[in-house]
Amino acid sequence: MDLFDDPAPADNTPEFSVSEISGAVKKAIEGGFSHIRVRGELGRISRPASGHIYLDLKDDRSVLSGIIWKGRAAALTHRPEEGMEVIATGKLTTFPGQSKYQMIIEDIQPAGAGALMAMLEKRRAMLAGEGLFDTARKQKLPYLPEIIGVVTSPSGAVIRDILHRLRDRFPRKVLVWPVAVQGQKCAGEVAAAINGFNQLTPGGALPRPDLLIVARGGGSLEDLWGFNEEIVVRAAAASGIPLISAVGHETDTTLIDFAADVRAPTPTAAAELAVPVRMELLAFVDGQGARLVRALSNGVQNRSQRLRDLARALPQVDTLTEGPRQRLDYLSDRLPAALRQAAAKKRLQLSDAALRPAILQRKLAEDRLHLTALGDRLVPALQRRNRDAAAILERAGRGLRADLLQMRLDRQDERLGNALQRLSDRATRQQAERTAKLASLDRLRETLGYMETLKRGYAVVRSGEALVTDSQTAAKAGDLEIQFADGRVNVRSG
């Protein structure tokens, strides 16, 4: 041993397993950061089918992973969106599977009105880009709707103001769909109400409204936020019933105002836009009726005067009939002579066409010659027809020879035999395939059954008909039955 060599140092440092280190770090982080509030900008956001929300909180230098469990995600008042500045409340923990730490978020709120306005503007631009706010798609309000659907809270002053204004202006039938107008349930209930009204059948037991009013009183930006949600805006834009948005006061603006067909500054103004004033309408109708009567009277007078003016320009009746009367007199004088001349001419023609014997004999001779000629042509025609029929019959007889018919029957029998053989082969193959598949399924059933598990050394413990799965239940039970793969054994507990 070299005198200058250093002695081997004694290493008393304790050894830890990976799980022990992970557990110690987890306790340290969760103990020191069990309840924290973190301000940052939302980065990557993932919403898998499980319902959880995975996101990143970041600032200009660092990134913190976060997760919102499914139960908490459904209760959030503001839906997380990328680029939104928020204050997240929760705790820090670790994820040993990847040696990383993350924040379990219990609640998340926008970091002030500025963040809400930025998110609102971003959402407005996105929906406007899809054409949901285009003027071309907005519908015209009916002049006098029979039924008006109102989506609002049934207990607030808004519905009373709307009903009172409708009663003063022009009473109409009103259907109220009660919804929450703020809070977590607001957006879903308002969208469901708009879609529900649109799905009603016209003329049904619950008739479909001709006009919809979505109304709410004034409030802060957070109070009115439900009417900025995307689900509400899309429902309003897709409504087949003309829709008036009356959310907040005149200075309040929400995204449903852009998607609605008409925006009213207040719920009372929405009622005024929905129907005209009945008394004004009656006065207008009376005025129009008076104008119509005056117009008809003036029209009749003007046409009467015009008719009189035209009548003075027409000739007298006697003047119009003088010429025809004179012509009638002239023709009446010529009529007797014309009748006598016509009668004489007809008498002469009749005498020339008298039935004289010579004429009759000549006519009979001509008819006899014509008949003889037809008789001479008849015999050759009949003979030709008989020859043609015989030729056709002979050709048909050649096609009905017994040997040809037998050959045709033999070919048909051969085809039928081939078809039956193919059908039999196919049925045999299908039967074999189904038998193999049934055997495979039966083997799978036996593999998955608990009897296969018992063959590997396990047992089933029962107390009567109930299964015993822990020692406490076994200790309390009286008689126990233990089932092995090869049978059952009864034992007494204790």
Side-chain angles (χ1 to χ4, degrees), residues 376-429:
D376 295 339
R377 292 169 57 188
L378 178 62
V379 173
L382 290 175
Q383 292 175 352
R384 286 195 302 273
R385 185 174 183 84
N386 289 335
R387 286 196 300 271
D388 295 341
I392 293 172
L393 184 61
E394 183 180 358
R395 287 196 299 271
R398 287 197 299 270
L400 295 176
R401 290 189 306 174
D403 55 346
L404 295 178
L405 291 176
Q406 185 61 40
M407 292 175 61
R408 186 177 300 175
L409 288 176
D410 293 340
R411 287 197 298 270
Q412 294 295 336
D413 289 341
E414 183 179 358
R415 293 177 183 175
L416 180 60
N418 294 335
L420 290 176
Q421 183 62 37
R422 289 196 301 272
L423 182 61
S424 177
D425 294 343
R426 185 172 181 180
T428 303
R429 288 196 303 272

Side-chain angles (χ1 to χ4, degrees), residues 243-483:
L243 186 144
I244 299 176
S245 171
V247 178
H249 296 307
E250 187 170 0
T251 57
D252 297 325
T253 302
T254 56
L255 293 184
I256 193 176
D257 296 333
F258 297 99
D261 298 298
V262 174
R263 176 187 180 269
T266 62
T268 302
E272 295 175 355
L273 291 172
V275 294
V277 179
R278 186 171 183 271
M279 297 308 299
E280 294 179 357
L281 185 59
L282 291 176
F284 175 76
V285 172
D286 292 340
Q288 294 298 104
R291 290 182 59 187
L292 179 61
V293 171
R294 289 195 300 270
L296 290 175
S297 178
N298 293 335
V300 171
Q301 292 178 2
N302 294 335
R303 285 167 174 77
S304 298
Q305 183 61 40
R306 179 64 175 167
L307 182 60
R308 287 192 296 269
D309 295 340
L310 294 174
R312 283 194 294 269
L314 292 175
Q316 297 296 325
V317 177
D318 294 339
T319 304
L320 294 175
T321 59
E322 284 177 357
R325 188 182 297 114
Q326 185 178 1
R327 182 175 176 78
L328 179 62
D329 293 339
Y330 173 74
L331 293 176
S332 298
D333 293 341
R334 295 180 58 187
L335 181 61
L339 290 175
R340 287 193 297 271
Q341 185 178 359
K345 186 176 180 180
K346 295 296 183 182
R347 190 179 297 110
L348 180 60
Q349 293 176 352
L350 180 63
S351 63
D352 291 341
L355 299 177
R356 298 175 184 177
I359 295 175
L360 292 175
Q361 291 174 358
R362 187 169 61 252
K363 182 67 175 173
L364 288 173
E366 292 175 355
D367 292 342
R368 189 178 293 109
L369 290 174
H370 181 66
L371 184 61
T372 302
L374 292 177
D376 295 339
R377 292 169 57 188
L378 178 62
V379 173
L382 290 175
Q383 292 175 352
R384 286 195 302 273
R385 185 174 183 84
N386 289 335
R387 286 196 300 271
D388 295 341
I392 293 172
L393 184 61
E394 183 180 358
R395 287 196 299 271
R398 287 197 299 270
L400 295 176
R401 290 189 306 174
D403 55 346
L404 295 178
L405 291 176
Q406 185 61 40
M407 292 175 61
R408 186 177 300 175
L409 288 176
D410 293 340
R411 287 197 298 270
Q412 294 295 336
D413 289 341
E414 183 179 358
R415 293 177 183 175
L416 180 60
N418 294 335
L420 290 176
Q421 183 62 37
R422 289 196 301 272
L423 182 61
S424 177
D425 294 343
R426 185 172 181 180
T428 303
R429 288 196 303 272
Q430 289 184 349
Q431 182 66 26
E433 291 173 357
R434 292 175 179 175
T435 301
K437 185 175 181 181
L438 181 61
S440 176
L441 292 175
D442 187 61
R443 289 193 299 273
L444 179 61
R445 178 188 62 79
E446 293 179 354
T447 303
L448 297 178
Y450 76 98
M451 292 301 296
E452 294 296 323
T453 304
L454 296 181
K455 292 178 181 180
R456 295 199 297 269
Y458 293 90
V460 178
V461 181
R462 296 186 179 88
S463 176
E465 296 297 328
L467 290 175
V468 178
T469 59
D470 53 68
S471 58
Q472 295 180 356
T473 306
K476 295 178 181 179
D479 294 336
L480 297 177
E481 181 186 71
I482 303 176
Q483 180 181 357

Side-chain angles (χ1 to χ4, degrees), residues 6-15:
D6 294 332
D11 191 357
N12 295 325
T13 304
E15 295 180 352

Side-chain angles (χ1 to χ4, degrees), residues 227-238:
F227 298 92
N228 292 318
E229 293 292 349
E230 184 176 342
I231 185 176
V232 175
V233 178
R234 293 191 183 277

